[in-house]
Amino acid sequence: MSTTLRKLEVASPVPADIDIANSVEPFHISDIARELGLGPSHYDLYGKHKAKVLLSVLDELQGSGDGYYVVVGGITPTPLGEGKSTTTVGLCQALGAFLDKKVITCVRQPSQGPTFGIKGGAAGGGYSQVIPMDEFNLHLTGDIHAITAANNLLAAAIDTRIFHESIQSDKALFNRLCPPNKEGKRRFSNVMLRRLKNIGISKDRPEDLTPEEVKKFARLDIDPSSITWRRVMDVNDRFLRKITVGQGSEEKGMTRETGFDISVASEIMAVLALTTSLADMRERLGKMVIGNSKAGDPVTADDLGVGGALTVLMKDAINPTLMQTLEGTPVLVHAGPFANIAHGNSSIVADKIALKLVGSGGFVVTEAGFGADIGTEKFFNIKCRYSGLTPQCAVIVATIRALKMHGGGPEVVAGKPLDPAYVTENVGLVEAGCMNMARHISNTKAYGVNVVVAVNMFSTDTEAELNAVKTAAMAAGAFDAVICTHHAHGGKGAVDLGIAVQKACESVTQPLNFLYPLDISIKEKIEAIARSYGAAGVEYSEQAEKQIELYSRQGFLGLPICMAKTQYSFSHNAAAKGAPSGFILPIRDVRASIGAGFIYPLVGTMSTMPGLPTRPCFYDIDLDTSTGRVVGLS
């Protein structure tokens, strides 16, 4: 039995999340590590309660068996969220603290955008949380800051290269790129040798290049209108969605329109989440395409000479961060791509390390962002393709509140009191909304996993409403449907869910099935995903058609698809609740994350930089200066 498991003393009504988190003194993270079989040489400490687990652990455990692999998704959520993170943590607390299973929770690092914006943090809630909650939701170990620095270094390199090419001859440009050393000799740096190979020049001495080769090597000739790489910051700021750069007098009038994305939308975040090793990350970062030359050829980070520097900035970020739950079970936190504008899953390396650490018979539970149409779909079709891992069970989290909304209930608005329809019994409204859950179950079952529905119970839910959900879930093909009270009771409230998940993992019989093969056209892959949403067809804008033709010509046909779509509906229209069908899905634009390894279509008016509401969460966040503790985080 673990020596780091903690018995919770629960209170009713449930206190605020930050108050619960602050009421528990976390174990020293070395104690958590020791329970996993990790010694001091396997991790780097970041204070008392966090540690970076080194990738060398994976090499040491390469011959060990894997545990069961479980992904937690959800029905289409309300703007309030339906408790997927809470359920993920509660399930793991149940498996570890009550069912005596070796378990690791694998979750994403939260962005500070939602933390200070409208949704709040992502540490779970109630008595099912990752702690220390304030450290988890804020800077953690600096991975997102590293991503921001790396992203913006590349952005600076792009504009600087265009500037310098515009004011210098081929010879002058080449001489500055390859200056003589103290002995008067020139040399190519390693990243320059990569570019030479990429453009078909098999020479390694600068003096051997012909004038034509000098021009081909030194002049990228970037088409400013083709640049897709934008600057990022980890704050919701609507006024940075569209900006003009180059207005300083020193830039000689070289202005262009661009914009900021939120940091977690950066391709570098996706690279971190999908990489499998340090060497793989170096290759992926170097292959990132920022735009095209005026001749239509892709321009990469390595072409700009910055791939190696990006890897240096990211070298510590590749190691997952070890933390703990309220009940002392281990957590690996790593990467944080949003699911609506990126692929929405934590890292492959964290999952792989966790599966080896728990070993045969243990459990690794990871969360996929937003509804199963977004996060879970990308978990299977993108993450599992690159990891080679096969999950046995998928959990779908549902709430009475969200099902009532999908059944035709009044609009749910964050920051406003719920309509009485959501806190009084209405079985008919619940049953009508179960069509949304049924489609998620059907879509997820098609991947070959057993599906368990976790009904995250609220105090206002009635027995009749809960029974209606269980009946509808089983009729839709779920392996089991379980009522959970982990928010109020911690792991004890998810024991039945843990038992159901264990049975689901032990009885899976089908192989992993993907939604589409990779060797079909970009449009065919987009349309396969659109059909899973219920769409009757897809409409492509002129810009989308142009980009699809370009990426097909550039040889990027064989990549999976990562749809950037609203999380609030199966369709592009956030107001279309339930299980809409027969609609035409509009593709506004199509972009490519070549380093990460996917093509991402932008559906409708999806923005990659969120805005702040009238009353952001930051109004409630402060520091108790007498104790040094954070207050007001949610």
Side-chain angles (χ1 to χ4, degrees):
M1 190 73 176
S2 172
T3 59
T4 60
L5 295 180
R6 180 187 295 106
K7 182 174 174 60
L8 291 177
E9 298 293 334
V10 302
S12 181
V14 179
D17 291 349
I18 188 68
D19 293 335
I20 294 173
N22 284 340
S23 72
V24 172
E25 179 61 33
F27 294 107
H28 196 284
I29 201 63
S30 61
D31 296 334
I32 302 292
R34 186 173 57 253
E35 290 290 331
L36 291 171
L38 298 174
S41 65
H42 296 128
Y43 56 84
D44 290 332
L45 288 172
Y46 279 66
K48 297 177 182 179
H49 305 132
K50 305 185 296 291
K52 283 280 197 180
V53 179
L54 306 179
L55 296 193
S56 56
V57 170
L58 195 55
D59 298 328
E60 288 186 29
L61 296 173
Q62 202 56 50
S64 305
D66 286 352
Y68 292 117
Y69 193 27
V70 180
V71 61
V72 178
I75 65 170
T76 306
T78 70
L80 306 178
E82 309 318 307
K84 263 196 336 301
S85 300
T86 306
T87 302
T88 302
V89 175
L91 169 59
C92 291
Q93 291 182 164
L95 287 166
F98 290 88
L99 297 174
D100 199 23
K101 302 296 180 184
K102 206 164 185 182
V103 62
I104 296 178
T105 312
C106 289
V107 292
R108 291 171 292 164
Q109 178 185 352
S111 163
Q112 290 178 164
T115 298
F116 292 107
I118 193 168
K119 188 174 179 287
Y127 288 100
S128 294
Q129 293 189 57
V130 180
I131 56 173
M133 181 257 231
D134 56 338
E135 295 180 31
F136 177 86
N137 281 317
L138 298 174
H139 305 286
L140 198 63
T141 47
D143 293 357
I144 293 181
H145 299 316
I147 288 163
T148 302
N151 184 102
N152 293 342
L153 176 62
L154 179 52
I158 295 165
D159 288 310
T160 297
R161 187 58 173 265
I162 294 172
F163 172 77
H164 287 299
E165 286 191 19
S166 72
I167 59 173
Q168 297 179 64
S169 66
D170 296 341
K171 183 178 180 181
L173 188 63
F174 182 75
N175 287 341
R176 286 184 171 88
L177 288 171
C178 300
N181 59 20
K182 291 180 180 179
E183 289 76 37
K185 293 185 177 181
R186 301 177 187 273
R187 56 176 289 275
F188 290 122
S189 65
N190 288 334
V191 74
M192 290 177 173
L193 293 172
R194 286 173 177 256
R195 169 155 173 77
L196 287 166
K197 182 179 179 181
N198 185 46
I199 59 177
I201 298 175
S202 56
K203 297 176 181 178
D204 57 11
R205 298 197 310 167
E207 58 267 28
D208 292 342
L209 267 61
T210 66
E212 291 76 19
E213 289 170 336
V214 164
K215 180 175 183 177
K216 189 176 183 181
F217 165 77
R219 199 164 289 282
L220 301 181
D221 201 26
I222 298 169
D223 178 1
S225 68
S226 75
I227 297 171
T228 54
W229 197 266
R230 290 153 60 95
R231 289 163 173 83
V232 300
M233 64 188 307
D234 196 34
V235 174
N236 292 357
D237 192 342
R238 67 178 69 245
F239 286 94
L240 291 178
R241 289 171 179 168
K242 190 173 183 179
I243 63 169
T244 303
V245 294
Q247 292 190 348
S249 59
E250 298 292 320
E251 281 63 62
K252 305 183 187 303
M254 294 193 62
T255 60
R256 70 177 182 92
E257 284 190 353
T258 180
F260 274 74
D261 295 331
I262 194 162
S263 293
V264 290
S266 170
E267 182 176 353
I268 297 176
M269 175 63 87
V271 167
L272 178 65
L274 291 170
T275 196
T276 55
S277 68
L278 193 58
D280 179 60
M281 184 172 73
R282 170 64 184 89
E283 293 303 313
R284 287 175 179 270
L285 291 171
K287 288 194 302 184
M288 293 187 304
V289 173
I290 59 87
N292 306 307
S293 70
K294 291 173 182 174
D297 298 318
V299 178
T300 68
D302 271 350
D303 289 330
L304 284 156
V306 74
L310 301 181
T311 310
V312 169
L313 285 170
M314 294 294 295
K315 68 179 179 66
D316 295 322
I318 196 173
N319 299 312
T321 300
L322 180 65
M323 297 187 75
Q324 62 191 283
T325 67
L326 284 168
E327 297 191 61
T329 59
V331 181
L332 284 177
V333 186
H334 203 211
F338 281 177
N340 53 354
I341 54 179
H343 77 282
N345 283 266
S346 59
S347 78
I348 287 173
V349 293
D351 289 1
K352 285 192 167 188
I353 290 171
L355 286 164
K356 295 297 183 188
L357 288 174
V358 300
S360 299
F363 290 83
V364 170
V365 183
T366 188
E367 179 202 353
F370 293 124
D373 56 318
I374 301 179
T376 304
E377 181 269 310
K378 295 168 184 176
F379 169 81
F380 285 106
N381 291 307
I382 299 176
K383 185 176 181 179
C384 288
R385 281 189 200 271
Y386 284 120
S387 71
L389 298 173
T390 301
Q392 289 77 39
C393 174
V395 175
I396 294 179
V397 179
T399 62
I400 298 297
R401 174 179 69 196
L403 291 169
K404 284 182 175 179
M405 178 189 71
H406 289 297
E411 184 181 9
V412 176
V413 180
K416 291 186 178 180
L418 283 171
D419 187 274
Y422 292 104
V423 294
T424 54
E425 183 173 276
N426 190 327
V427 176
L429 203 58
V430 174
E431 290 175 333
C434 281
M435 69 176 80
N436 181 273
M437 176 180 68
R439 182 179 289 173
H440 285 299
I441 292 171
S442 174
N443 283 352
T444 306
K445 273 190 71 179
Y447 294 110
V449 295
N450 284 329
V451 175
V452 174
V453 172
V455 185
N456 185 18
M457 181 179 173
F458 288 60
S459 60
T460 53
D461 300 342
T462 69
E463 185 176 357
E465 290 173 330
L466 294 167
N467 286 336
V469 180
K470 290 178 68 175
T471 300
M474 299 307 289
F479 179 86
D480 204 349
V482 183
I483 310 303
C484 306
T485 61
H486 45 275
H487 183 272
H489 302 118
K492 184 178 179 180
V495 168
D496 288 345
L497 176 61
I499 293 169
V501 165
Q502 181 179 348
K503 290 178 179 178
C505 287
E506 292 171 347
S507 60
V508 71
T509 56
Q510 296 183 49
L512 178 60
N513 301 309
F514 295 119
L515 182 59
Y516 53 83
L518 292 181
D519 60 355
I520 58 176
S521 71
I522 292 173
K523 281 189 174 183
E524 287 173 311
K525 284 179 265 196
I526 292 172
E527 287 154 17
I529 298 172
R531 285 192 295 273
S532 76
Y533 298 157
V538 177
E539 181 179 75
Y540 301 92
S541 71
E542 183 179 342
Q543 172 66 11
E545 292 276 11
K546 174 185 167 187
Q547 291 301 104
I548 290 171
E549 189 279 328
L550 175 67
Y551 296 141
S552 300
R553 178 165 48 82
Q554 290 178 337
F556 302 141
L557 276 171
L559 297 176
I561 301 297
C562 182
M563 299 286 257
K565 180 186 80 73
T566 179
Q567 67 269 35
Y568 295 125
S569 173
F570 272 110
S571 78
H572 58 287
N573 177 11
K577 304 303 182 184
S581 61
F583 57 91
I584 302 299
L585 192 75
I587 304 298
R588 173 171 59 88
D589 198 357
V590 177
R591 298 176 187 168
S593 291
I594 303 306
F598 53 72
I599 302 290
Y600 67 104
L602 275 67
V603 179
T605 57
M606 199 68 221
S607 172
T608 49
M609 170 55 91
L612 289 169
T614 304
R615 191 188 189 283
C617 294
F618 61 62
Y619 274 90
D620 299 313
I621 298 170
D622 211 327
L623 192 72
D624 182 338
T625 55
S626 63
T627 64
R629 285 190 161 178
V630 175
V631 295
L633 267 179
S634 61

